[in-house]
Amino acid sequence: MPEVILLVALFSILLFLPFVPSIIELFLKRDTEPIPIDLERKKEPDYFGKSFINILATALKDLKSQEVEKPKPVYVKLPVYLKLKLNREEWVCFLNDEKLAESTMDTPVVFTKDTTFLQNHTFKRELVVFGNAVFKNTCVARSLYVKGDCLIKAPVRVARWVHVEGTLITRSNADLGVGVYAREIRIRGWTTFKRAYAQKIDTSDEPLIDKENNTGRVINLKGNFGITGSITIGGKERPVFVDGDIFCDGAAQIEGDVWIKGNVFSQDSITLKDGVVIGIEGKVKSVVARGEILIKGPFRIYGYIHSEKRVEASP
């Protein structure tokens, strides 16, 4: 008899087990918790690039006498390898010439002047250019730092972060990894990332609604808006101005001549199409979504774009 009771109890437990995750989710509702946003927190969009360059500069400053290794002459000009203490002690390659013959580099690589990448390269560690950088052939890098401007004219894929002190322009397919920082970002080809910051990020050279003379009839919405569920803004014959923030539990679709002067937050996805402007020049605003952010056609934002999944932008 005890054996029968034990078997019945075991069978009941196994029968009930598949329903446990659903019951936990039903009562705890972890997936419905809002994105934690601290509006008072000081953001550092240039953290990764600045931190790496500071580590590199400190290592060079502390360098007194290091062994210099010159490998086989596989370059037009021989590179110099210095053993520096970054996160750990390792060799770092410094080049004065842009004509890099090797297709794959396993060490951090530093170009000391303007560089044009004419061949297919894979940089398994950090790629640094102390000047302007132009990509005219396919390149893959772990991370990318550019002291000047950066022009991408061929497919580029970066696994982690991109830091450009000047203007970043993408005219070809570009997967820019997790974080992007630049003074200005001009997206002119299909581009993806998870978060980006610039004083201005746009997908078009044409003047959008924030630069036009809107003297006619407009739809003017004042204040902040909290929406339960999804929302669609735009698609009207008249321009739409929103003089506040938008908080949305569901998906948000914003299209056409719409100028949102505040922030946009969504617990779902955000679609921005055909002329949308977020923010005001000189003031930092954000577009933040738990799901994907899709940008199509002319678009401009002054500040941050952040998705927990992916941002995909095409002009």
Side-chain angles (χ1 to χ4, degrees), residues 144-150 162-168 180-184:
L144 172 64
Y145 177 95
V146 180
K147 183 67 174 178
D149 297 330
C150 180
V162 175
H163 182 114
V164 179
E165 292 286 344
T167 300
L168 170 61
V180 186
Y181 169 87
R183 182 187 62 203
E184 183 177 335

Side-chain angles (χ1 to χ4, degrees), residues 234-248:
K236 307 293 184 182
E237 295 181 358
R238 291 185 289 167
V240 178
F241 292 176
V242 180
D243 292 329
D245 301 329
I246 294 178
F247 299 86
C248 182

Side-chain angles (χ1 to χ4, degrees), residues 109-127:
V109 178
V110 178
F111 289 89
T112 60
K113 64 176 186 178
D114 294 351
T115 303
T116 300
F117 296 91
L118 300 173
Q119 302 177 43
N120 186 328
H121 293 292
T122 297
F123 299 94
K124 293 186 177 181
R125 297 296 308 280
E126 291 79 9
L127 170 62

